[in-house]
Amino acid sequence: MNGKRYDVVIVGAGIAGSLVARELARRGKSVLILEAGPETPPTNRETYLENFYLAAAKTPESPYPPLEGSRPSAEPAPRATVADTFGSNVEPGWPEKVQSDPDAFIYDPVKSYLLQKGPHPFASTYERVAGGTTWHWLGTSLRFLDNDFKMRSVYGVERDWPWGVDELLPYYNAAESSIGVAADAATQERELGEIGLRYAPPGYQYPMQPILTSLVDEAVTGGIGGATGFVGFEGLGVEVTPTPQGRNSQPYANRRVCAGNTNCIPICPIQAKYDATVTLSEAKQAGAELLSQAVATRVVVGENGAVAGIEYLRWQRDGSGTIERTPGTAVGTLYVLAAHAIETPKLLLMSRRDDQGALGHGVANSSDQVGRNLMDHPLYLSWALFDDKAWGYRGPLSTAGVESLRDGAFRSQRAAWRVEIGNEGWNFSIGDPWTTVGDFVLGTNASQLNPDTRTLFGDALVAKLNDVFPRQWRMGFLVEQTPEPGNRVTLSTDLPGGAAFTDGLGLPRPVIHYDLSDYTKLGFVYAEIFARDVYRRMGLRCYTQNPKEIVGRGGALVANPTWFPLAPEWRQVFASLPPELKAPEVTNLPAAADGIPEGFQYFGAGHVVGTTVIGSDRASSVLDPAQRSWDHPNLFMVGSGNFPTITTANPTLTLAAMALMAADQIAKQLG
Amino acid sequence: MRATRVTTGRALVSCAAAALLLAALPLACRTRPAVPPPPDVAAGGGGPVAEGTTVDIDCGGTKQPVTVGTELPRLPTFQRVITLDSLQCDFDVFSWNSFLALSHGLDGAFGDRGGDNVTTWEVWPNEGDLFRPGGAEPPEWRAGHPPPRTPVPAVCEGKGRPGDRVLTQIGKQPLLVEAALEPFESGPLIDVHGRYARFGITMNQPFYQYVRDHGLYSRAGQQAFAAGGGRVEFPCGCDPDPSGASCPPDGQQGAIMVKASWKVLDTAAGDDPSRFHTTQALVVTPATESEPETCERQLLGLVGLHVVTKTQTEPQWVWSTFEQVDNVPERGAEEAAGRYNFFLPGCTDCNAVNEPPPQPWDPHLQPVRANSGKSQVVRQIPIPQGSVEINEAVRPLLAGTVWQHYELISTQWPTEGPGQGEPSAASGWCVPLNPVDESGAPAPAFLGNSTLETYIQGTVPQASSSCINCHLNATLAVGQQSFSDFTYLLERAQ
Amino acid sequence: MSETSSSPQRMEDFVQMSALLTGFAAGTIAPSLDPVDLKSTLFAAAEKGAGDAFDRLLDQYAQLAGGKPVSQMTPAERQSIGESLLGLDGQPSDPQTTATARSVMRLLYLGYWYPIDGSAGAETVVSDQAYVRGLAWRAMQSHAMGFSTWSYGYWASPPPPLTDFTGNPAPAPPADAAAEVPAGTAAASLPAEAAAASTLGQGKGGQSPADLVGGR
């Protein structure tokens, strides 16, 4: 920029990029951040919050630009959205078309930024604005467990990390301070120390006292807290553990205390929940410069193999909405890519030069691993009605979970998970209160709560809604997904019709190949059985649905892209269950099904992981243990793309810790 | 729509609409001075304004006096006919009477020094006096003059001057101003001369003593208070009840917080100190990455003032806000030739309107480089017509003093404030909050001061400035039962 | 729009009709001290969205109510008027006005206007205040997601009673007992229907989570 040479050039102003920028700026380094999306004034969330209030579909992306209805081909910084995955974007016969036509995708490419080749869709999304996806993260700040770092050596599956939890512990502490995490370490250690949760030094305390748990948590704790004997978890007990959360339980960092707006996703109205604009502001106060609306287009590699600059397009819209673009090159001593796990590999792949030998696969890609091992937590939702009012729809979206089953010998066979206990009734599950209100006003039964399809009004309507809403509850199982080389990000320009699938700057769009492994799918089987047992023990009525078909484009029924069938060899797992775990009350299946489900539906957890994994072997990883490219000594990457495995924990705290770790390394390398 | 019948069957008369229909509604929302505007000369007790001068405001049929005097109202006086507009008028009258009483000196001075005077609220303790380093116990303030101030920070030692009016008038120490950012770090306010606005808070004796009596001045004390099931309930203003059933026989003054915003007066650049209430203050600028802490003695002019009073009928407090009249234009009414404190007509390279200056913010670098950080501020929501009319009625009373250059922006109050329950001594003679909506459905729904909530002046629920909605989120520094009764001050405890 | 739209009587009819259909007190829908004036926003939205059908619906309500406030009606009177407005009484009815009555109910409950022709995906949020003050949230004794009216930790204690939220006395037993299934019995009696619903409703059920709120 203006010929200035920076110590560090960073691509991406989300949490990872902002943390690195802040750390280096505070150590006196000159820092430039390129951000693809618009900048927001510090803490001013009026516009985004108004977008949320006025959005008909209150999706995670609904507050943020570009707004729903815009076309990815016309946007300078489009991104994946939940709205992309609506049934109305799915054509009948899509499974065959996606296979036979190289330019066919699961979701209509006119609406969906990601070009999804399947066989199943990647269901998670991210933002391209200053502050990044933390604008709508939940705030869950779990540490990884001891064995999460050594799945290959302990369980013979997945990958090992090049280092273990001990190396990360000091950075976990620093990340918890940067974010502002509320929890009680003694409680966490008491309930989860046995499965490998670690703190150091002894007596470590979180920055804030724990967030008060909800009445829903209390009811669940009363039902299953301390229980044992769950199918597939022999020898393990269930604890309902208050979740360490990046939201204020007391005034912290000049931000307010959580007021329970029950809206962490899509947007906390009062910034009681941390988001990366907090760190970005600190970085700017320390002197880091932010160039917003600057989309990195190429990592330029010099003759010596070192990165020599990052080309970008600065964009503006003129009065008529036309995009004006101005090219530039940012030059620094070191470079850090922090554009999240889909845009970072896209940039590396876009930077390839066929005439440059080693760069034929793209920058930093001598291993051919860039873009591979894309992961998420495929989310299994299970929902039910309490007998008594448990008072959901109040407090933060989630304040506790079942963490005690996140590790065990079973991980040699199948995926582990954690259970997020929802405080928002069936909002996520079926779109309530909209769906149920619609049912009782229109006389329909989309919610399954109006089987007689009655229309109610007046006192009867109030009484009915007051009866059902406070009894609604859901669990979300975050199932660990295996790293698979075939789950990958490639470029639209490699497709036969590639030129048709570019963004508003004429840049390629990500093509996604994605599937779930049997190891991961088997995790769903035991999630379903666990849910049934919870309902049985607590006397709840299950309402979970796993629809094989959904309403697609034009109102036709189409195959549900996020549904997968139960493998025949797993039928026996269900068939052998005791009768009380096959009853319609706990399965929501017809009695004739004998408790055997046809298949499962998954959701995205918003956890975009893998694609630039670290490792101890340059042939099978993109980055070395210091999160530096094996190929280019002055190129670092930060973010959840670096994870070799996803584990069962929400990724933000760990990626923040790793970004702080990388900042130390970068500072050292700068000297 | 001139009038609307609603479910209670009471007629509601819109004040703003009535203003357009004065001929039809001669009594509604009109103001009428009870005495002719006083001459612009010194009168009475040495000042230019006769003490006790009154103007009657017609609040929808009943006259409400605004008085130049030292008597602080404990409660608003309500009308027989209750409408949104008559109540707003009652609260606005309460705001003006509070402002006028607090703008007097402790000794009753009012405009007697070249039209200015040291005010009562400036003599009150500030945050640092109550929330002391290490959570030390502040001295008692039982009655009479406020307790002595804490010593100035080391960086300010020797900066004050013996001849300073401030030093002679305010106990042992001068006013100390530290805050340079608006709430929640939304950014600094920088005037047209490139200087940072400053902010400070003081509180009255009932507030101060409540905090002291309940040990809330330290984190340890707050922890103990919360753990013991305590709920913060500042005392409420109430009128004497001889039976002692609803209020002490002598009545009670409620807790008051005053938050002031100041600008540096730069006479060389054209600021006219005679249009401001001024003070010589020691202005501390905290250390930054590159600069050490500094302290400078500066002439400051008052540009904004919140007066927040807890009353028996308004457990959400009454939020009165005033500004110096030259601050900013209203949106759409920017005068090309106008001179404003925080708006530069025709400026082509100021900050975007109502957006904070770019970071890094560096209060050590003042004035900021030309046009690289000046705030360009407009008032997003016009001053309500009813408040404008009261301001016009009161202004003539204040001729000859600096106080004529201040205006009420509005008063925010809860339309559905109280819940079920009777006041009692145990609750500070307050009534409980509305249990369904603890904000009490404030009117107006949004209210901000252009110098104190500069960058959040919109109408977006939760995000835009609403005094009561925001302060409902205020808590103690620690503890799980931590609602702090609408004040963020308790966060400051160490 | 028309002169009738601004008439106080028309507004009063709208508020009273809304009270009858929603089960909330008129004073909750339109407080006597009303700094937000949501009723005018809602009235305008219904008028814009349903046009003449909204006028006819108000005419019908005014005729049925005969000037009697809802709070003074007997349960039987309320039941009879509501069934007429919604076309549930077995009498010939105007499909446009009955659809408008349903859209008005959802307008009050959710702050959205759903077109009366039933076109899917065409609903819009009327205003920020209409959303945050939707009655659905009060029916669950809570607040709109994104608009807490309480402070830290409220979620660890039960809410105030329902009557505080509706402004009405505790509801009398419904005219038709089947309209309110006591807690617990719903679960016991549902398996067969729910199973049928899960087959019939697969499309809707599968789509609604993502389409209405989305994954996260």
Side-chain angles (χ1 to χ4, degrees):
Chain A
M1 198 168 101
N2 299 331
K4 180 169 174 183
R5 185 184 175 89
Y6 293 86
D7 290 328
V8 183
V9 173
I10 299 171
V11 178
I15 182 171
S18 297
L19 283 169
V20 172
R22 183 194 70 187
E23 290 305 302
L24 295 173
R26 283 183 175 172
R27 295 175 213 187
K29 309 301 181 190
S30 61
V31 177
L32 173 70
I33 314 174
L34 302 174
E35 167 55 45
E39 184 176 6
T40 47
T43 74
N44 181 345
R45 48 196 60 222
E46 282 178 305
T47 305
Y48 287 174
L49 191 58
E50 183 71 351
N51 289 342
F52 161 77
Y53 287 138
L54 296 182
K58 301 203 181 298
T59 53
E61 68 270 8
S62 58
Y64 312 104
L67 295 183
E68 162 68 1
S70 59
R71 298 286 161 93
S73 61
E75 287 298 329
R79 83 303 198 195
T81 71
V82 170
D84 294 347
T85 67
F86 285 179
S88 56
N89 294 339
V90 182
E91 271 192 73
W94 67 265
E96 297 74 33
K97 284 180 189 157
V98 166
Q99 279 203 332
S100 61
D101 177 354
D103 290 337
F105 311 100
I106 298 175
Y107 301 115
D108 181 357
V110 172
K111 294 182 179 163
S112 170
Y113 170 63
L114 298 184
L115 302 166
Q116 304 243 22
K117 291 300 292 180
H120 287 293
F122 184 75
S124 280
T125 68
Y126 55 95
E127 296 302 324
R128 293 174 81 185
V129 294
T133 313
T134 52
W135 273 98
H136 60 64
W137 76 310
L138 179 58
T140 301
S141 298
L142 298 164
R143 294 180 174 208
F144 285 4
L145 307 173
D146 210 358
N147 284 341
D148 287 338
F149 296 89
K150 37 193 185 191
M151 291 294 285
R152 172 61 59 180
S153 15
V154 176
Y155 297 119
V157 297
E158 302 191 341
R159 288 165 169 250
D160 280 354
W161 292 51
W163 31 257
V165 70
D166 290 340
E167 283 84 346
L168 211 48
L169 287 179
Y171 296 107
Y172 269 136
N173 297 0
E176 283 156 358
S177 166
S178 293
I179 290 171
V181 179
D184 177 48
T187 303
Q188 301 292 321
E189 212 163 11
R190 185 174 67 243
E191 297 191 351
L192 306 172
E194 272 183 47
I195 58 165
L197 180 66
R198 300 279 177 264
Y199 295 95
Y204 170 77
Q205 294 205 325
Y206 280 93
M208 281 178 274
Q209 64 193 1
I211 295 269
L212 282 175
T213 49
S214 68
L215 294 173
V216 173
D217 300 331
E218 197 175 291
V220 177
T221 304
I224 59 169
T228 56
F230 287 85
V231 174
F233 295 99
E234 290 70 20
L236 288 173
V238 167
E239 300 287 352
V240 177
T241 307
T243 306
Q245 298 157 67
R247 63 178 54 83
N248 285 2
S249 63
Q250 57 196 71
Y252 188 80
N254 288 313
R255 291 184 286 114
R256 274 177 269 184
V257 164
C258 175
N261 278 285
T262 324
N263 213 58
C264 325
I265 303 165
I267 181 169
C268 176
I270 63 171
Q271 210 183 25
K273 181 197 74 180
Y274 168 89
D275 62 65
T277 64
V278 172
T279 303
L280 182 60
S281 176
E282 292 165 349
K284 290 196 283 186
Q285 276 303 107
E289 296 174 35
L290 177 72
L291 193 65
S292 60
Q293 305 187 182
V295 177
T297 56
R298 186 182 165 214
V299 179
V300 181
V301 177
E303 293 298 319
N304 58 358
V307 173
I310 293 185
E311 294 175 354
Y312 61 85
L313 286 175
R314 188 104 204 264
W315 59 270
Q316 296 281 342
R317 282 187 196 280
D318 68 13
S320 67
T322 308
I323 301 168
E324 297 169 356
R325 62 202 83 185
T326 314
T329 303
V331 179
T333 303
L334 296 183
Y335 297 85
V336 181
L337 304 186
H340 212 352
I342 287 179
E343 297 300 325
T344 290
K346 190 189 94 178
L347 174 61
L348 292 169
L349 296 173
M350 278 162 57
S351 303
R352 74 183 165 207
R353 285 294 180 269
D354 291 336
D355 57 348
Q356 287 186 23
L359 298 179
H361 288 299
V363 167
N365 200 18
S366 64
S367 63
D368 189 32
Q369 292 296 303
V370 167
R372 296 187 183 274
N373 307 302
L374 175 65
M375 289 170 274
D376 188 5
H377 286 121
L379 185 74
Y380 186 56
L381 272 189
S382 184
W383 60 99
L385 279 189
F386 279 102
D387 270 0
D388 299 323
K389 287 172 179 167
W391 304 113
Y393 294 97
R394 300 168 85 238
L397 287 175
S398 177
T399 40
V402 175
E403 314 295 341
S404 59
L405 305 180
R406 283 165 54 195
D407 190 52
F410 63 88
R411 281 177 108 181
S412 60
Q413 305 297 322
R414 57 177 162 88
W417 32 253
R418 66 173 290 256
V419 185
E420 177 188 285
I421 293 172
N423 283 336
E424 35 44 292
W426 293 358
N427 173 262
F428 191 175
S429 312
I430 69 162
D432 257 351
W434 292 266
T435 300
T436 295
V437 167
D439 277 350
F440 287 104
V441 169
L442 303 177
T444 54
N445 190 32
S447 64
Q448 310 174 74
L449 297 173
N450 192 19
D452 299 332
T453 59
R454 299 179 58 85
T455 293
L456 301 180
F457 63 90
D459 290 349
L461 177 59
V462 174
K464 183 50 146 177
L465 296 177
N466 184 254
D467 173 48
V468 294
F469 284 138
R471 294 195 288 128
Q472 294 178 342
W473 177 49
R474 64 90 180 162
M475 288 183 277
F477 295 80
L478 280 69
V479 182
E480 76 181 321
Q481 176 165 32
T482 50
E484 306 287 340
N487 286 352
R488 63 185 300 205
V489 179
T490 61
L491 299 182
S492 60
T493 40
D494 292 339
L495 298 164
F501 305 118
T502 51
D503 68 17
L505 295 177
L507 302 174
R509 281 159 52 188
V511 177
I512 307 291
H513 303 261
Y514 187 76
D515 200 357
L516 308 186
S517 68
D518 283 351
Y519 180 92
T520 299
K521 289 175 178 172
L522 195 53
F524 277 69
V525 169
Y526 283 87
E528 164 66 18
I529 296 170
F530 179 83
R532 293 179 184 184
D533 211 351
V534 170
Y535 301 151
R536 178 187 68 85
R537 291 170 192 242
M538 297 176 63
L540 309 194
R541 173 65 170 79
C542 173
Y543 284 85
T544 311
Q545 290 185 309
N546 285 292
K548 191 175 176 181
E549 292 182 307
I550 59 170
V551 177
R553 186 182 299 171
L557 281 184
V558 300
N560 179 359
T562 60
W563 183 89
F564 62 87
L566 181 74
E569 61 266 33
W570 298 336
R571 294 175 62 87
Q572 187 53 37
V573 179
F574 287 100
S576 62
L577 291 174
E580 63 269 24
L581 294 185
K582 296 195 280 190
E585 287 76 11
V586 299
T587 63
N588 201 27
L589 295 172
D594 192 32
I596 302 176
E598 268 197 277
F600 301 99
Q601 172 180 242
Y602 66 89
F603 292 86
H607 302 162
V608 191
V609 170
T611 73
T612 57
V613 302
I614 57 171
S616 47
D617 167 21
R618 66 176 301 153
S620 59
S621 56
V622 176
L623 302 172
D624 70 14
Q627 304 178 75
R628 178 178 45 209
S629 164
W630 288 109
D631 303 344
H632 313 287
N634 64 342
L635 178 62
F636 286 78
M637 298 175 209
V638 289
S640 48
N642 297 7
F643 294 6
T645 60
I646 190 165
T647 85
T648 57
N650 308 47
T652 302
L653 179 72
T654 299
L655 83 84
M658 287 174 66
L660 293 168
M661 182 190 240
D664 271 1
Q665 180 67 34
I666 291 165
K668 199 183 295 175
Q669 193 159 323
L670 280 170
Chain B
M1 183 177 71
R2 172 171 77 74
T4 301
R5 211 180 127 224
V6 294
T7 53
T8 57
R10 281 198 289 258
L12 287 192
V13 179
S14 157
C15 192
L20 302 172
L21 295 162
L22 284 178
L25 287 166
L27 292 177
C29 308
R30 296 184 71 175
T31 58
R32 184 170 57 81
V35 295
D40 188 6
V41 292
V49 175
E51 283 298 307
T53 309
T54 290
V55 59
D56 279 351
I57 308 297
D58 189 335
C59 289
T62 312
K63 293 183 182 65
Q64 293 257 46
V66 171
T67 304
V68 180
T70 57
E71 191 176 342
L72 194 55
R74 289 163 168 162
L75 275 173
T77 307
F78 297 119
Q79 305 297 304
R80 189 173 49 80
V81 178
I82 303 287
T83 67
L84 193 66
D85 298 305
S86 76
L87 286 167
Q88 184 68 54
C89 186
D90 298 338
F91 282 101
D92 284 353
V93 166
F94 174 80
S95 294
W96 260 114
N97 281 324
S98 300
F99 178 81
L100 290 175
L102 294 175
S103 295
H104 281 68
L106 277 181
D107 55 1
F110 191 72
D112 54 345
R113 300 206 169 198
D116 200 356
N117 56 277
V118 175
T119 67
T120 292
W121 56 267
E122 285 166 290
V123 186
W124 287 349
N126 63 28
E127 315 120 90
D129 297 324
L130 183 50
F131 302 102
R132 297 182 173 230
E137 184 179 42
E140 285 258 11
W141 180 10
R142 279 296 174 203
H145 280 253
R149 288 228 149 103
T150 48
V152 295
V155 68
C156 289
E157 273 172 26
K159 295 283 173 68
R161 292 186 201 161
D164 283 354
R165 185 191 66 186
V166 169
L167 285 170
T168 58
Q169 294 287 336
I170 305 183
K172 290 189 170 65
Q173 300 295 348
L175 193 65
L176 185 70
V177 186
E178 293 180 88
L181 293 183
E182 297 213 354
F184 312 119
E185 304 205 309
S186 59
L189 173 64
I190 299 176
D191 72 13
V192 293
H193 305 313
R195 295 190 180 273
Y196 278 56
R198 301 284 179 156
F199 313 98
I201 300 175
T202 62
M203 71 284 292
N204 72 347
Q205 189 269 347
F207 187 107
Y208 179 100
Q209 199 61 30
Y210 179 88
V211 170
R212 191 185 177 284
D213 288 349
H214 292 81
L216 299 172
Y217 51 82
S218 72
R219 290 172 71 94
Q222 292 184 3
Q223 188 83 59
F225 179 85
R231 183 177 167 91
V232 179
E233 285 184 311
F234 283 94
C236 285
C238 54
D239 284 336
D241 178 358
S243 77
S246 64
C247 186
D250 294 338
Q252 174 170 283
Q253 173 59 52
I256 296 179
M257 304 177 271
V258 173
K259 183 168 188 182
S261 53
W262 305 89
K263 80 182 281 302
V264 175
L265 292 180
D266 187 341
T267 51
D271 285 336
D272 176 1
S274 73
R275 294 178 67 82
F276 294 86
H277 165 63
T278 65
T279 189
Q280 290 282 358
L282 294 176
V283 178
V284 173
T285 301
T288 60
E289 306 279 341
S290 52
E291 299 289 329
E293 184 181 50
T294 61
C295 180
E296 201 178 345
R297 178 176 167 279
Q298 289 179 318
L299 179 65
L300 301 181
L302 180 71
V303 290
L305 194 75
H306 287 326
V307 179
V308 189
T309 309
K310 196 170 184 202
T311 58
Q312 187 166 61
T313 39
E314 288 75 32
Q316 291 84 357
W317 307 56
V318 178
W319 303 73
S320 313
T321 193
F322 292 81
E323 291 191 34
Q324 203 271 351
V325 295
D326 304 321
N327 280 346
V328 300
E330 290 188 351
R331 185 176 283 280
E334 302 89 349
E335 290 177 28
R339 288 175 64 88
Y340 304 101
N341 296 330
F342 302 102
F343 183 86
L344 203 54
C347 182
T348 52
D349 53 355
C350 287
N351 298 324
V353 169
N354 291 355
E355 287 190 15
Q359 290 176 285
W361 304 314
D362 185 2
H364 292 280
L365 187 65
Q366 292 192 51
V368 296
R369 286 184 299 275
N371 296 328
S372 71
K374 295 175 185 173
S375 304
Q376 189 77 335
V377 184
V378 301
R379 189 181 315 289
Q380 195 73 31
I381 302 173
I383 301 176
Q385 184 60 26
S387 306
V388 169
E389 290 171 8
I390 297 174
N391 289 340
E392 286 171 0
V394 174
R395 183 165 301 128
L397 272 60
L398 307 176
T401 72
V402 296
W403 304 109
Q404 67 181 316
H405 304 299
Y406 291 85
E407 61 189 355
L408 173 69
I409 305 305
S410 190
T411 314
Q412 195 182 48
W413 52 282
T415 61
E416 299 174 16
Q420 299 292 316
E422 296 300 319
S424 67
S427 64
W429 299 109
C430 305
V431 294
L433 295 175
N434 177 339
V436 169
D437 178 357
E438 290 185 341
S439 76
F446 297 94
L447 175 60
N449 185 302
S450 72
T451 68
L452 286 158
E453 291 83 28
T454 309
Y455 306 115
I456 47 171
Q457 293 189 58
T459 59
V460 182
Q462 304 293 57
S464 301
S465 180
S466 165
C467 324
I468 291 175
N469 286 98
C470 177
H471 282 258
L472 179 58
N473 298 155
T475 61
L476 303 174
V478 291
Q480 290 285 14
Q481 301 298 324
S482 58
F483 173 63
S484 64
D485 196 8
F486 296 93
T487 176
Y488 284 104
L489 278 171
L490 299 182
E491 291 184 4
R492 312 283 176 96
Q494 298 180 13
Chain C
M1 201 159 80
S2 61
E3 197 173 298
T4 54
S5 68
S6 59
S7 119
Q9 186 56 51
R10 237 21 202 172
M11 180 62 80
E12 176 66 6
D13 289 340
F14 173 66
V15 169
Q16 292 292 330
M17 179 184 76
S18 297
L20 188 145
L21 289 173
T22 62
F24 282 76
T28 301
I29 291 166
S32 58
L33 299 172
D34 189 358
V36 175
D37 192 24
L38 186 58
K39 63 182 183 299
S40 297
T41 304
L42 300 180
F43 188 104
E47 191 170 51
K48 177 162 169 267
D52 291 346
F54 180 59
D55 268 348
R56 295 201 300 280
L57 178 66
L58 286 183
D59 287 344
Q60 186 189 358
Y61 176 78
Q63 194 192 350
L64 291 167
K68 195 174 190 177
V70 173
S71 59
Q72 292 172 23
M73 294 177 184
T74 64
E77 285 173 321
R78 294 200 300 267
Q79 188 70 19
S80 165
I81 294 174
E83 288 180 357
S84 293
L85 296 176
L86 292 163
L88 301 173
D89 57 357
Q91 302 297 312
S93 60
D94 173 349
Q96 284 204 310
T97 62
T98 58
T100 302
R102 284 170 171 79
S103 285
V104 167
M105 289 170 74
R106 290 209 275 182
L107 177 65
L108 269 291
Y109 263 91
L110 300 167
Y112 285 49
W113 180 258
Y114 289 79
I116 61 171
D117 65 5
S119 48
E123 65 272 19
T124 52
V125 180
V126 165
S127 76
D128 47 16
Q129 294 285 357
Y131 165 72
V132 303
R133 292 171 199 282
L135 301 177
W137 311 103
R138 294 176 81 96
M140 60 174 78
Q141 294 164 254
S142 187
H143 58 78
M145 294 175 79
F147 188 74
S148 171
T149 52
W150 297 288
S151 57
Y152 175 78
Y154 74 83
W155 54 87
S157 310
L162 177 62
T163 49
D164 283 3
F165 288 86
T166 62
N168 277 335
D176 178 351
E180 190 187 19
V181 182
T185 57
S189 66
L190 271 180
E193 296 93 323
S198 68
T199 310
L200 293 172
Q202 268 173 351
K204 276 180 190 156
Q207 189 176 345
S208 54
D211 284 16
L212 287 169
V213 289
R216 42 182 68 115

